[in-house]
Amino acid sequence: MEKFGGGSRSRTHKSLLGMEVSRSKTVPVWALLSLVTNGVLILTVAQLLLRGHNLTESFQANDAVTAEAAQEQIGQPVISAKAVLDVPIPGPRHKWTYQQWVTQLGREAEAVAANRPSRLSVLAGDSLSMWFPTKLLPVDQIWLNQGISGETSLGLLKRLQLFDRTAPDTVFVMIGINDLLRGASDAGILDNQRQIIRDLRWAHPKAQVVVQSILPHSGEQATWENRDRLLAIPNSRIRAINRRLKEIASSENVLYLDLYPLFADAEGNLPTELSTDGLHLNDQGYLVWRSALQLFDQMQLKNES
């Protein structure tokens, strides 16, 4: 029995994952989709970068409507704390404590669950997800952001129940870099990732769970305030964890979205052009991520049609 946030929950995964499942020798559709999607992502974004396009101007020019207008067109409101909650939002959100963030995200999830949109996607993770600009998210669906700055895989695992009632269509998970910064072992990170996947599949059996790779950092070019901690984590280690994470996603029958190649230069580091400090992303970086989400969604829709 696990207690969290004043409540308790008991989850058993045996009914879902504790049975023998026969597998044919043919490659499953989800695996082919994952391979094709990642190949298309790399080619598409690489072409944009090689051509020297200003990604911000490019995407803004291609978007005929804002996120708010697009969501109004499909009959859905924009999900924001101020819009959907009856309670005031105290103070600057970036100065909140961890527990204040947990409480707020729980309120936002409950508000969404009470008036669920037709297409709902969840971003679950740390500050990289948390600071994803709303205006840069794909506009053909409603997004619920469940990211918290400094979050670890264990912290995310413990608070997944916050959006249990939202019944999302897709859950995108990115977590792990803060574990590494805090000295966690590879095995511990991967075990938590597996538990996160199983928990999500248990709570949202109809949702598509998408595990995203851990992104690289900028190495010696990083200017983040705790730069020494970053330099103690070689990007080769992150790549090795991502390889294991891909295997876990495959074994758990969820999709793996490999963003790492899109955010790595020839030396395997995060290009400074895509980052604010060598760890976090700027608008250019988020537009690369956005393109990945858009292409992933297009591949999904094509596969379903």
Side-chain angles (χ1 to χ4, degrees):
M1 182 80 69
E2 178 185 36
K3 294 184 178 180
F4 180 74
S8 64
R9 90 198 287 177
S10 176
R11 289 192 167 179
T12 301
H13 302 289
K14 291 182 179 179
S15 60
L16 178 64
L17 298 158
M19 62 183 71
E20 292 292 328
V21 180
S22 61
R23 296 177 182 270
S24 67
K25 294 183 179 180
T26 58
V27 179
V29 173
W30 63 265
L32 289 173
L33 175 63
S34 181
L35 289 171
V36 172
T37 300
N38 281 294
V40 172
L41 290 178
I42 294 172
L43 289 173
T44 301
V45 178
Q47 288 174 352
L48 285 173
L49 294 175
L50 287 173
R51 291 173 184 171
H53 284 186
N54 182 306
L55 290 177
T56 303
E57 294 178 356
S58 177
F59 275 100
Q60 289 176 343
N62 289 332
D63 286 336
V65 292
T66 63
E68 289 81 1
Q71 289 171 347
E72 288 175 0
Q73 287 178 4
I74 61 175
Q76 297 296 345
V78 177
I79 300 301
S80 67
K82 292 181 180 179
V84 299
L85 299 176
D86 294 327
V87 295
I89 299 177
R93 288 168 64 114
H94 66 280
K95 295 183 179 179
W96 284 0
T97 66
Y98 179 82
Q99 189 54 49
Q100 285 176 314
W101 269 108
V102 170
T103 300
Q104 182 60 33
L105 294 188
R107 290 171 178 165
E108 294 180 10
E110 285 301 309
V112 172
N115 186 26
R116 188 190 179 282
S118 59
R119 288 194 67 198
L120 177 65
S121 292
V122 175
L123 287 175
D126 50 36
S127 60
L128 290 171
S129 295
M130 170 186 168
W131 294 117
F132 206 126
T134 303
K135 65 182 181 180
L136 299 184
L137 285 165
V139 299
D140 56 351
Q141 56 200 292
I142 301 299
W143 293 87
L144 176 65
N145 196 320
Q146 294 281 287
I148 296 182
S149 182
E151 186 63 286
T152 63
S153 57
L154 181 59
L156 178 60
L157 176 62
K158 288 183 176 180
R159 66 179 175 86
L160 290 176
Q161 68 182 74
L162 293 178
F163 59 92
D164 271 0
R165 296 182 58 249
T166 60
D169 297 286
T170 312
V171 181
F172 293 92
V173 178
M174 181 187 287
I175 200 72
I177 188 62
N178 288 309
D179 295 73
L180 291 170
L181 291 170
R182 297 183 185 188
S185 67
D186 296 7
I189 297 170
L190 292 165
D191 181 65
N192 288 338
Q193 292 266 20
R194 188 185 294 273
Q195 293 304 315
I196 288 170
I197 293 170
R198 292 181 175 182
D199 191 293
L200 289 172
R201 291 194 62 197
W202 182 89
H204 310 286
K206 295 182 180 180
Q208 184 69 264
V209 177
V210 184
V211 178
Q212 300 170 105
S213 57
I214 302 174
L215 301 185
H217 57 76
S218 297
E220 293 289 345
Q221 301 301 313
T223 59
W224 185 52
E225 57 185 351
N226 293 308
R227 179 175 176 272
D228 290 344
R229 290 163 60 188
L230 268 186
L231 296 180
I233 306 165
N235 280 318
S236 58
R237 182 183 176 191
I238 294 178
R239 290 196 300 271
I241 293 175
N242 283 338
R243 287 193 291 269
R244 294 282 305 284
L245 186 56
K246 180 179 180 180
E247 294 172 358
I248 290 174
S250 176
S251 67
E252 299 293 338
N253 288 342
V254 300
L255 289 175
Y256 178 73
L257 187 54
D258 191 7
L259 297 173
Y260 190 100
L262 304 180
F263 288 92
D265 60 19
E267 286 73 41
N269 299 326
L270 175 65
T272 56
E273 294 82 3
L274 302 180
S275 177
T276 59
D277 56 9
L279 174 62
H280 300 93
L281 302 178
N282 58 20
D283 277 3
Q284 295 286 97
Y286 279 111
L287 284 167
V288 172
W289 192 352
R290 166 192 164 126
S291 71
L293 295 176
Q294 286 181 313
L295 287 168
F296 172 84
D297 190 51
Q298 291 170 8
M299 294 298 297
Q300 280 287 90
L301 293 175
K302 183 179 295 185
N303 185 64
E304 293 172 359
S305 61

